Amino acid sequence: MSVAPGTDGVLVDRYGRVARDLRVSLTDKCNLRCTYCMPAEGLPWLAGPELLTDEEIVRLVRVAVELLGVTEVRFTGGEPLIRPGLVDIVTSVAALAPRPRVSLTTNGIGLDRLAPALRTAGLDRVNVSLDTLDPERFTKLTRRRRLGAVLAGLAGAAAAGLSPVKINSVLMRGVNEDEAPALLRFALDHDYQLRIIEQMPLDAQHGWTRDTMVTAKEILASLRTVFDLSPDPAERGAAPAETWLVDGGPARVGVIASVTRPFCGDCDRTRLTADGQVRACLFATEESDLRFALRAGADDDELARRWRTAMWGKRAGHGIDDPTFLQPTRPMSAIGG
């Protein structure tokens, strides 16, 4: 791998993309067992010593913000709400200067209880995963009877002011592909923002196929059976979601078409796993170990240099359509969204 040139202050790759958005996985564990993510029995979890400590997470985020120009920090999992030190981590990150925007992607279970403390700590907003409004389908999809807890989490987030509250939904053929209009109606009725995501090849079972993936074209066609959608005139920028005005606006709905309409050319994300590995792309097959360097006594400048080198090697695109594409060894639950 070539080494990044003098790019102090930013995380830039060979194609000129600058990473301003950091996704931080706080744990690989989850309290759901979604069929498109992991097997019913779960996965071999990371051992305690392999996980970054709260202090190590905050230090690496501080390096990203102060030395590498990161302006957005999103905490993910697994399920980040089960990380015991979550509130303290958010407090420390929100206190950094310059202050990054701080958000959280969660399945929503327990969010009603934690939302006020997270808001006080400095969390700005949340994304909550919700693939179905049908209790039986929810149980089949997640292998847990927790739909009520997720809905309570959404309501609790809104009440605490963690807005805009966004819903992330994945549609699967033969499972819930008919629910796009109902999910959008639910979001509109509660002043949430819906994002429907094409299923990606990141399941632990490596069972993903295009045949079961509901495409962006199909999602939009389904939504248009009930709603009038028009292109959003707002600049998309590096946002993963392409958005449409619903019935003339101002409400919007987004579709994240990572597979059929990739947006790699505008990607501004870098990822840090729960065990301290930098991933330049969600679909990367390589990682760069910051945990080892951190624990070996590397100073902040050295950590920043290693991070810049890792990002310089980022590929032009994820290559899902390439015949040589290999699914990452880590599943989504171990990478972070």
Side-chain angles (χ1 to χ4, degrees), residues 11 19 21-23 268-272 278-279 307 311:
L11 281 172
D21 184 333
L22 170 61
R23 308 294 172 94
D268 69 343
R269 284 166 290 288
T270 181
R271 288 176 166 80
L272 181 67
V278 167
R279 295 180 65 89
W307 208 325
M311 293 305 295

Side-chain angles (χ1 to χ4, degrees), residues 237-297:
E242 188 174 0
T243 54
W244 283 262
L245 300 180
V246 180
D247 294 336
R252 291 168 168 81
V253 63
V255 176
I256 300 177
S258 301
V259 179
T260 65
R261 302 181 186 180
F263 40 87
C264 301
D266 294 313
C267 181
D268 69 343
R269 284 166 290 288
T270 181
R271 288 176 166 80
L272 181 67
T273 65
D275 56 345
Q277 310 300 305
V278 167
R279 295 180 65 89
C281 172
L282 187 60
F283 297 95
T285 54
E286 313 89 13
E287 297 178 337
S288 298
D289 190 352
L290 290 187
R291 183 192 64 195
F292 177 83
L294 187 155
R295 293 180 179 177

